Amino acid sequence: MTAVLLATMCAAIYGTADFFGGLATRRSRVLAVVVLTQAIGLLLVLPLLPLLPGAPSAGALGWGVAAGLCGGLGVALFYRALASGVMSVVAPTTATTSAALPVLAGLALGERPQALALCGVVVALAAVVLVSREPGAARAGKAALGPIAAALASGLGFGAFFILLKQVPDDAGLWPLAGARLASTVAAGALALATGRGLRPGKGSLPVILAAGVLDMIANVLYLFAAQRGLLVVVAVLASLYPASTLLLARYVLGERLSALQTAGVGLALGAVALIASG
């Protein structure tokens, strides 16, 4: 039950962080947003390392660095897709991929959730698929192939991030996240330098970038704790329900319309959480 609660909270905060990240990329270069959000997350987690139990080890840092590289690539592709596509299409498309990959990995590794929880996982996957559909946007030509391809690739990166963080030792504390953020910050910064992209944020975008970075790290902490207490099949699919909060913010802040299928998907997401919690 604790893992379910942590993963559900993680999803809500991930979705809010992605909303702010998407807004930031409309005012600043994508790589600038990625580097700054990753650096903000690193600065947030470093003071917490001595406050929580856990010790650094080669395994903890190694899995964290690998997760950070995958997650950093996923963030860069995701923000790029958000900047050029429709938020209510891109975010759920990414989530569909990022949810399916850990579920397949968990089952392949021998995880077997209880029947009711497994039903909840299936419902959750269906929910993510439903909220990813935006027929109106597709007919209007807004759901271009480029942003959709970037969204799918980012989903693979996020899915790998979920899988790799599940592998860290239970006594590692927050050290894997420190390694992950250090790796993603350095990689994104090196890419920005190699391509000659400036890292200066656009006018008025720094508070939005700060919010995205802080919220993303908080969500990562919640996911790590959830993964240490629950099955990958369960916690990863719950964390991947984050488009629900992204969609609701896009609806009420940006005025993007939700289709009937998306609304049904949000309802299914709530039902999935209830089923998994009951299982």
PDB file of all heavy atoms in Angstrom, residues 251-275:
ATOM      1  N   ARG A 251      -5.570  21.644 -19.772  1.00  0.00           N
ATOM      2  CA  ARG A 251      -6.983  22.001 -19.995  1.00  0.00           C
ATOM      3  C   ARG A 251      -7.343  23.306 -19.295  1.00  0.00           C
ATOM      4  O   ARG A 251      -7.940  24.210 -19.896  1.00  0.00           O
ATOM      5  CB  ARG A 251      -7.871  20.855 -19.477  1.00  0.00           C
ATOM      6  CG  ARG A 251      -9.355  21.198 -19.375  1.00  0.00           C
ATOM      7  CD  ARG A 251      -9.969  21.433 -20.746  1.00  0.00           C
ATOM      8  NE  ARG A 251     -11.373  21.765 -20.638  1.00  0.00           N
ATOM      9  CZ  ARG A 251     -11.851  23.000 -20.481  1.00  0.00           C
ATOM     10  NH1 ARG A 251     -11.006  24.021 -20.382  1.00  0.00           N
ATOM     11  NH2 ARG A 251     -13.142  23.218 -20.406  1.00  0.00           N
ATOM     12  N   TYR A 252      -6.983  23.422 -18.020  1.00  0.00           N
ATOM     13  CA  TYR A 252      -7.457  24.558 -17.241  1.00  0.00           C
ATOM     14  C   TYR A 252      -6.526  25.765 -17.278  1.00  0.00           C
ATOM     15  O   TYR A 252      -6.961  26.880 -16.982  1.00  0.00           O
ATOM     16  CB  TYR A 252      -7.694  24.123 -15.793  1.00  0.00           C
ATOM     17  CG  TYR A 252      -8.875  23.175 -15.669  1.00  0.00           C
ATOM     18  CD1 TYR A 252      -8.689  21.819 -15.428  1.00  0.00           C
ATOM     19  CD2 TYR A 252     -10.183  23.642 -15.842  1.00  0.00           C
ATOM     20  CE1 TYR A 252      -9.764  20.956 -15.329  1.00  0.00           C
ATOM     21  CE2 TYR A 252     -11.259  22.774 -15.752  1.00  0.00           C
ATOM     22  CZ  TYR A 252     -11.052  21.443 -15.501  1.00  0.00           C
ATOM     23  OH  TYR A 252     -12.122  20.579 -15.425  1.00  0.00           O
ATOM     24  N   VAL A 253      -5.267  25.553 -17.638  1.00  0.00           N
ATOM     25  CA  VAL A 253      -4.346  26.688 -17.716  1.00  0.00           C
ATOM     26  C   VAL A 253      -4.192  27.175 -19.150  1.00  0.00           C
ATOM     27  O   VAL A 253      -4.232  28.386 -19.419  1.00  0.00           O
ATOM     28  CB  VAL A 253      -2.968  26.314 -17.130  1.00  0.00           C
ATOM     29  CG1 VAL A 253      -1.976  27.472 -17.288  1.00  0.00           C
ATOM     30  CG2 VAL A 253      -3.093  25.937 -15.659  1.00  0.00           C
ATOM     31  N   LEU A 254      -4.030  26.231 -20.098  1.00  0.00           N
ATOM     32  CA  LEU A 254      -3.802  26.605 -21.488  1.00  0.00           C
ATOM     33  C   LEU A 254      -5.078  26.569 -22.329  1.00  0.00           C
ATOM     34  O   LEU A 254      -5.074  27.017 -23.470  1.00  0.00           O
ATOM     35  CB  LEU A 254      -2.760  25.675 -22.121  1.00  0.00           C
ATOM     36  CG  LEU A 254      -1.380  25.656 -21.451  1.00  0.00           C
ATOM     37  CD1 LEU A 254      -0.458  24.705 -22.196  1.00  0.00           C
ATOM     38  CD2 LEU A 254      -0.795  27.050 -21.386  1.00  0.00           C
ATOM     39  N   GLY A 255      -6.133  26.003 -21.790  1.00  0.00           N
ATOM     40  CA  GLY A 255      -7.389  25.951 -22.534  1.00  0.00           C
ATOM     41  C   GLY A 255      -7.441  24.853 -23.580  1.00  0.00           C
ATOM     42  O   GLY A 255      -8.309  24.875 -24.451  1.00  0.00           O
ATOM     43  N   GLU A 256      -6.508  23.886 -23.544  1.00  0.00           N
ATOM     44  CA  GLU A 256      -6.562  22.765 -24.484  1.00  0.00           C
ATOM     45  C   GLU A 256      -7.760  21.881 -24.132  1.00  0.00           C
ATOM     46  O   GLU A 256      -8.000  21.579 -22.969  1.00  0.00           O
ATOM     47  CB  GLU A 256      -5.267  21.954 -24.425  1.00  0.00           C
ATOM     48  CG  GLU A 256      -4.057  22.706 -24.944  1.00  0.00           C
ATOM     49  CD  GLU A 256      -2.822  21.825 -25.033  1.00  0.00           C
ATOM     50  OE1 GLU A 256      -2.955  20.596 -24.866  1.00  0.00           O
ATOM     51  OE2 GLU A 256      -1.730  22.368 -25.278  1.00  0.00           O
ATOM     52  N   ARG A 257      -8.472  21.471 -25.182  1.00  0.00           N
ATOM     53  CA  ARG A 257      -9.670  20.670 -24.959  1.00  0.00           C
ATOM     54  C   ARG A 257      -9.333  19.199 -24.796  1.00  0.00           C
ATOM     55  O   ARG A 257      -8.430  18.673 -25.435  1.00  0.00           O
ATOM     56  CB  ARG A 257     -10.631  20.843 -26.131  1.00  0.00           C
ATOM     57  CG  ARG A 257     -11.126  22.268 -26.324  1.00  0.00           C
ATOM     58  CD  ARG A 257     -12.129  22.350 -27.442  1.00  0.00           C
ATOM     59  NE  ARG A 257     -13.306  21.547 -27.175  1.00  0.00           N
ATOM     60  CZ  ARG A 257     -14.315  21.392 -28.029  1.00  0.00           C
ATOM     61  NH1 ARG A 257     -14.277  21.979 -29.222  1.00  0.00           N
ATOM     62  NH2 ARG A 257     -15.344  20.645 -27.709  1.00  0.00           N
ATOM     63  N   LEU A 258     -10.066  18.524 -23.925  1.00  0.00           N
ATOM     64  CA  LEU A 258      -9.919  17.086 -23.738  1.00  0.00           C
ATOM     65  C   LEU A 258     -11.044  16.378 -24.480  1.00  0.00           C
ATOM     66  O   LEU A 258     -12.200  16.779 -24.411  1.00  0.00           O
ATOM     67  CB  LEU A 258      -9.983  16.718 -22.255  1.00  0.00           C
ATOM     68  CG  LEU A 258      -8.953  17.352 -21.326  1.00  0.00           C
ATOM     69  CD1 LEU A 258      -9.104  16.772 -19.936  1.00  0.00           C
ATOM     70  CD2 LEU A 258      -7.558  17.150 -21.848  1.00  0.00           C
ATOM     71  N   SER A 259     -10.691  15.327 -25.207  1.00  0.00           N
ATOM     72  CA  SER A 259     -11.708  14.552 -25.900  1.00  0.00           C
ATOM     73  C   SER A 259     -12.430  13.636 -24.912  1.00  0.00           C
ATOM     74  O   SER A 259     -11.996  13.451 -23.769  1.00  0.00           O
ATOM     75  CB  SER A 259     -11.050  13.699 -26.997  1.00  0.00           C
ATOM     76  OG  SER A 259     -10.241  12.694 -26.420  1.00  0.00           O
ATOM     77  N   ALA A 260     -13.504  13.048 -25.388  1.00  0.00           N
ATOM     78  CA  ALA A 260     -14.247  12.115 -24.539  1.00  0.00           C
ATOM     79  C   ALA A 260     -13.385  10.920 -24.161  1.00  0.00           C
ATOM     80  O   ALA A 260     -13.450  10.409 -23.035  1.00  0.00           O
ATOM     81  CB  ALA A 260     -15.514  11.655 -25.267  1.00  0.00           C
ATOM     82  N   LEU A 261     -12.533  10.458 -25.101  1.00  0.00           N
ATOM     83  CA  LEU A 261     -11.661   9.329 -24.806  1.00  0.00           C
ATOM     84  C   LEU A 261     -10.629   9.681 -23.737  1.00  0.00           C
ATOM     85  O   LEU A 261     -10.321   8.870 -22.860  1.00  0.00           O
ATOM     86  CB  LEU A 261     -10.943   8.874 -26.081  1.00  0.00           C
ATOM     87  CG  LEU A 261     -11.803   8.135 -27.114  1.00  0.00           C
ATOM     88  CD1 LEU A 261     -10.980   7.808 -28.350  1.00  0.00           C
ATOM     89  CD2 LEU A 261     -12.374   6.857 -26.512  1.00  0.00           C
ATOM     90  N   GLN A 262     -10.091  10.894 -23.815  1.00  0.00           N
ATOM     91  CA  GLN A 262      -9.125  11.312 -22.804  1.00  0.00           C
ATOM     92  C   GLN A 262      -9.774  11.405 -21.430  1.00  0.00           C
ATOM     93  O   GLN A 262      -9.187  11.007 -20.423  1.00  0.00           O
ATOM     94  CB  GLN A 262      -8.504  12.652 -23.186  1.00  0.00           C
ATOM     95  CG  GLN A 262      -7.517  12.564 -24.334  1.00  0.00           C
ATOM     96  CD  GLN A 262      -6.946  13.915 -24.691  1.00  0.00           C
ATOM     97  OE1 GLN A 262      -7.673  14.896 -24.804  1.00  0.00           O
ATOM     98  NE2 GLN A 262      -5.647  13.979 -24.898  1.00  0.00           N
ATOM     99  N   THR A 263     -10.978  11.937 -21.401  1.00  0.00           N
ATOM    100  CA  THR A 263     -11.699  12.024 -20.128  1.00  0.00           C
ATOM    101  C   THR A 263     -11.952  10.632 -19.563  1.00  0.00           C
ATOM    102  O   THR A 263     -11.794  10.386 -18.360  1.00  0.00           O
ATOM    103  CB  THR A 263     -13.032  12.764 -20.326  1.00  0.00           C
ATOM    104  OG1 THR A 263     -12.783  14.063 -20.889  1.00  0.00           O
ATOM    105  CG2 THR A 263     -13.769  12.919 -19.010  1.00  0.00           C
ATOM    106  N   ALA A 264     -12.327   9.705 -20.431  1.00  0.00           N
ATOM    107  CA  ALA A 264     -12.523   8.325 -19.992  1.00  0.00           C
ATOM    108  C   ALA A 264     -11.209   7.725 -19.496  1.00  0.00           C
ATOM    109  O   ALA A 264     -11.183   6.952 -18.527  1.00  0.00           O
ATOM    110  CB  ALA A 264     -13.081   7.484 -21.132  1.00  0.00           C
ATOM    111  N   GLY A 265     -10.117   8.092 -20.151  1.00  0.00           N
ATOM    112  CA  GLY A 265      -8.807   7.599 -19.739  1.00  0.00           C
ATOM    113  C   GLY A 265      -8.436   8.053 -18.343  1.00  0.00           C
ATOM    114  O   GLY A 265      -7.860   7.290 -17.555  1.00  0.00           O
ATOM    115  N   VAL A 266      -8.743   9.306 -18.031  1.00  0.00           N
ATOM    116  CA  VAL A 266      -8.476   9.818 -16.683  1.00  0.00           C
ATOM    117  C   VAL A 266      -9.288   9.025 -15.660  1.00  0.00           C
ATOM    118  O   VAL A 266      -8.792   8.664 -14.584  1.00  0.00           O
ATOM    119  CB  VAL A 266      -8.793  11.319 -16.594  1.00  0.00           C
ATOM    120  CG1 VAL A 266      -8.687  11.814 -15.156  1.00  0.00           C
ATOM    121  CG2 VAL A 266      -7.851  12.124 -17.486  1.00  0.00           C
ATOM    122  N   GLY A 267     -10.547   8.740 -16.007  1.00  0.00           N
ATOM    123  CA  GLY A 267     -11.381   7.948 -15.109  1.00  0.00           C
ATOM    124  C   GLY A 267     -10.832   6.538 -14.925  1.00  0.00           C
ATOM    125  O   GLY A 267     -10.818   6.006 -13.808  1.00  0.00           O
ATOM    126  N   LEU A 268     -10.345   5.938 -16.014  1.00  0.00           N
ATOM    127  CA  LEU A 268      -9.751   4.609 -15.913  1.00  0.00           C
ATOM    128  C   LEU A 268      -8.488   4.635 -15.051  1.00  0.00           C
ATOM    129  O   LEU A 268      -8.207   3.678 -14.320  1.00  0.00           O
ATOM    130  CB  LEU A 268      -9.403   4.080 -17.307  1.00  0.00           C
ATOM    131  CG  LEU A 268     -10.523   3.408 -18.115  1.00  0.00           C
ATOM    132  CD1 LEU A 268      -9.970   2.906 -19.439  1.00  0.00           C
ATOM    133  CD2 LEU A 268     -11.152   2.265 -17.333  1.00  0.00           C
ATOM    134  N   ALA A 269      -7.733   5.721 -15.151  1.00  0.00           N
ATOM    135  CA  ALA A 269      -6.517   5.846 -14.345  1.00  0.00           C
ATOM    136  C   ALA A 269      -6.854   5.791 -12.861  1.00  0.00           C
ATOM    137  O   ALA A 269      -6.180   5.119 -12.069  1.00  0.00           O
ATOM    138  CB  ALA A 269      -5.790   7.140 -14.686  1.00  0.00           C
ATOM    139  N   LEU A 270      -7.898   6.490 -12.485  1.00  0.00           N
ATOM    140  CA  LEU A 270      -8.320   6.469 -11.075  1.00  0.00           C
ATOM    141  C   LEU A 270      -8.768   5.063 -10.665  1.00  0.00           C
ATOM    142  O   LEU A 270      -8.456   4.578  -9.567  1.00  0.00           O
ATOM    143  CB  LEU A 270      -9.453   7.475 -10.858  1.00  0.00           C
ATOM    144  CG  LEU A 270      -9.090   8.952 -11.088  1.00  0.00           C
ATOM    145  CD1 LEU A 270     -10.320   9.819 -10.965  1.00  0.00           C
ATOM    146  CD2 LEU A 270      -8.015   9.397 -10.113  1.00  0.00           C
ATOM    147  N   GLY A 271      -9.486   4.392 -11.569  1.00  0.00           N
ATOM    148  CA  GLY A 271      -9.915   3.036 -11.289  1.00  0.00           C
ATOM    149  C   GLY A 271      -8.737   2.075 -11.171  1.00  0.00           C
ATOM    150  O   GLY A 271      -8.740   1.165 -10.347  1.00  0.00           O
ATOM    151  N   ALA A 272      -7.706   2.292 -12.008  1.00  0.00           N
ATOM    152  CA  ALA A 272      -6.522   1.444 -11.962  1.00  0.00           C
ATOM    153  C   ALA A 272      -5.810   1.561 -10.616  1.00  0.00           C
ATOM    154  O   ALA A 272      -5.370   0.558 -10.046  1.00  0.00           O
ATOM    155  CB  ALA A 272      -5.567   1.815 -13.094  1.00  0.00           C
ATOM    156  N   VAL A 273      -5.696   2.794 -10.127  1.00  0.00           N
ATOM    157  CA  VAL A 273      -5.055   3.002  -8.823  1.00  0.00           C
ATOM    158  C   VAL A 273      -5.824   2.259  -7.733  1.00  0.00           C
ATOM    159  O   VAL A 273      -5.229   1.607  -6.866  1.00  0.00           O
ATOM    160  CB  VAL A 273      -4.971   4.512  -8.490  1.00  0.00           C
ATOM    161  CG1 VAL A 273      -4.464   4.719  -7.063  1.00  0.00           C
ATOM    162  CG2 VAL A 273      -4.065   5.223  -9.481  1.00  0.00           C
ATOM    163  N   ALA A 274      -7.155   2.331  -7.785  1.00  0.00           N
ATOM    164  CA  ALA A 274      -7.974   1.650  -6.789  1.00  0.00           C
ATOM    165  C   ALA A 274      -7.789   0.140  -6.865  1.00  0.00           C
ATOM    166  O   ALA A 274      -7.674  -0.540  -5.836  1.00  0.00           O
ATOM    167  CB  ALA A 274      -9.443   2.011  -6.997  1.00  0.00           C
ATOM    168  N   LEU A 275      -7.746  -0.421  -8.076  1.00  0.00           N
ATOM    169  CA  LEU A 275      -7.563  -1.867  -8.225  1.00  0.00           C
ATOM    170  C   LEU A 275      -6.193  -2.318  -7.699  1.00  0.00           C
ATOM    171  O   LEU A 275      -6.091  -3.318  -6.996  1.00  0.00           O
ATOM    172  CB  LEU A 275      -7.697  -2.251  -9.707  1.00  0.00           C
ATOM    173  CG  LEU A 275      -9.116  -2.355 -10.268  1.00  0.00           C
ATOM    174  CD1 LEU A 275      -9.056  -2.588 -11.780  1.00  0.00           C
ATOM    175  CD2 LEU A 275      -9.880  -3.483  -9.597  1.00  0.00           C
TER     176      LEU A 275
END
